[in-house]
Amino acid sequence: MKAIFPYSVLTGDVDLAVDRVFVDNTPRRWDSVSDQEHVIALHEVKGDWNEIRVKVTVTADGAELTGGPWNAVACVAVVRNRRTKIRHTFPLQPDGSGRWTGQVELRRGEHIGRCEIDAWIVAEVGGEYGRLIGRAKDVWHADFEALAPTRQRSIKMVWKDFTDEANPDLNDFRDDPWLLDGQADEPVLYLNSAVEGLRAVLDKAVAPEQKVVREIMASQIAAEAWVAMFNAATYAVETEDGEAQWPGGWHEDVLRRMLPDMFPDRAPGEALAELVERRTEGEGGGDLQRRLMHTATLQSRKPKAVTNALKTLGRLATKETV
């Protein structure tokens, strides 16, 4: 559901667009910027930079701005890095009815991982200045680790012996075939090399029967990983002034990817608010868990894996009876 404010706010969309990106006054290639994903990939700059400038444009419904119950309307771009805990605001200049332009500055030493670039429209409402009346529909991310401008990241998978004393953090889970660590900056899926036959099936399946097992097992691992990542991401969400905030990093990637399937009738921001409300109100969780399992099934492509496995088993059975 949409956040409710005790004063009038914009009902139309606020769009934030990135126009140009400069690294130490040198323009970046446009293929490092994705309008669809709202990501700026900055891996190539590595640590060899001092300042990155991002020129932006913000647009809103000019008629709504003119006719609304507010005064002194202004727009600022907001840069936030959750890992370094910095937040800067940059005033934008009005350029016609409902349009602002300007730039944000990213300074070396203040950013690691990725930062988000948002846009807020503020105004005087009911005698109170600085009221937030609108914000960007889609937040952009400047990702210092991304090779390509995409939000999707693969999960790192590592083989480890859960019974080995060299891995004391895994010893309590010695009988588990796999385990997801969702506490680090990036999730890591640990596969238990001590489970007999697991590595052979996942890495070296050759026979048709082995490939069937591998396909089913891989989809099950993926589904459980999505559930674990979603739960970790849910508890990473914080609220600010009563409004749910996207957590950034891989947590946000997971939520933005899964929430549309969990709440297909909600916009992303509304789906996030719905999730937080259900979590904080302490509802039984049955409906939420059903939605989560359904979404994890879709993300892991389990239906296709099961269908293919059953078809393969059917063909193998037919050959044996011939």
Side-chain angles (χ1 to χ4, degrees):
M1 59 185 61
K2 200 165 187 176
I4 298 176
F5 293 85
Y7 55 86
S8 298
V9 298
L10 296 171
T11 58
D13 288 339
V14 177
D15 294 314
L16 170 63
V18 167
D19 301 323
R20 298 288 300 276
V21 179
F22 296 85
V23 178
D24 293 332
N25 293 321
T26 301
R28 295 287 294 161
R29 300 192 321 273
W30 195 244
D31 60 6
S32 65
V33 180
S34 172
D35 288 325
Q36 182 176 3
E37 297 281 347
H38 302 100
V39 172
I40 306 168
L42 295 167
H43 178 269
E44 288 186 8
V45 304
K46 299 178 181 177
D48 188 21
W49 61 280
N50 293 307
E51 180 185 75
I52 295 172
R53 290 184 294 115
V54 182
K55 290 191 173 184
V56 299
T57 297
V58 178
T59 54
D61 187 332
E64 186 179 11
L65 283 169
T66 303
W70 36 64
N71 298 295
V73 178
C75 183
V76 295
V78 182
V79 173
R80 183 176 184 179
N81 191 307
R82 298 177 186 272
R83 290 176 63 183
T84 58
K85 302 187 184 302
I86 67 101
R87 183 167 71 181
H88 296 307
T89 59
F90 300 87
L92 303 180
Q93 298 300 313
D95 184 18
S97 179
R99 187 172 185 267
W100 293 265
T101 59
Q103 65 182 24
V104 302
E105 297 176 358
L106 313 179
R107 304 180 186 93
R108 183 178 178 181
E110 294 183 343
H111 297 282
I112 56 175
R114 60 163 55 181
C115 68
E116 60 188 45
I117 303 173
D118 200 353
W120 296 356
I121 298 178
V122 297
E124 179 264 314
V125 184
E128 294 288 335
Y129 286 88
R131 292 282 200 183
L132 177 65
I133 64 170
R135 66 188 308 172
K137 178 180 63 176
D138 296 299
V139 175
W140 279 74
H141 288 87
D143 194 325
F144 299 93
E145 299 173 355
L147 292 168
T150 176
R151 290 178 185 268
Q152 298 182 12
R153 300 179 179 180
S154 60
I155 302 174
K156 183 178 181 181
M157 292 188 292
V158 178
W159 284 98
K160 280 197 175 184
D161 185 343
F162 289 15
T163 65
D164 193 332
E165 293 182 358
N167 305 312
D169 54 329
L170 297 174
N171 291 165
D172 289 342
F173 314 101
R174 61 182 62 242
D175 294 325
D176 292 1
W178 52 78
L179 185 71
L180 184 100
D181 180 1
Q183 296 181 337
D185 292 336
E186 295 290 344
V188 178
L189 179 65
Y190 291 111
L191 302 170
N192 191 355
S193 59
V195 174
E196 185 176 357
L198 180 62
R199 192 160 194 168
V201 168
L202 292 180
D203 287 352
K204 303 175 182 178
V206 177
E209 296 87 347
Q210 291 178 322
K211 291 180 179 180
V212 168
V213 174
R214 179 184 63 187
E215 190 167 3
I216 292 294
M217 191 173 293
S219 68
Q220 182 62 31
I221 294 173
E224 292 186 16
W226 280 112
V227 170
M229 289 191 296
F230 182 85
N231 287 329
T234 298
Y235 284 95
V237 177
E238 298 178 352
T239 57
E240 187 174 299
D241 297 328
E243 185 176 358
Q245 303 293 310
W246 292 103
W250 70 266
H251 294 112
E252 181 172 338
D253 294 344
V254 169
L255 291 173
R256 287 190 180 275
R257 186 164 176 176
M258 298 184 73
L259 284 175
D261 287 323
M262 290 190 69
F263 302 106
D265 58 338
R266 298 280 197 271
E270 294 173 350
L272 182 67
E274 176 83 6
L275 174 66
V276 171
E277 181 175 337
R278 290 189 181 210
R279 185 193 73 186
T280 55
E281 288 186 352
E283 67 162 35
D287 179 64
L288 188 61
Q289 288 304 309
R290 284 192 295 270
R291 291 174 181 268
L292 174 56
M293 295 303 296
H294 167 68
T295 303
T297 296
L298 294 178
Q299 293 294 333
S300 64
R301 297 182 175 85
K302 186 184 291 187
K304 182 178 180 180
V306 172
T307 300
N308 291 342
L310 291 175
K311 288 180 178 178
T312 301
L313 290 175
R315 289 196 296 268
L316 292 174
T318 301
K319 289 181 179 179
E320 290 178 358
T321 57
V322 173

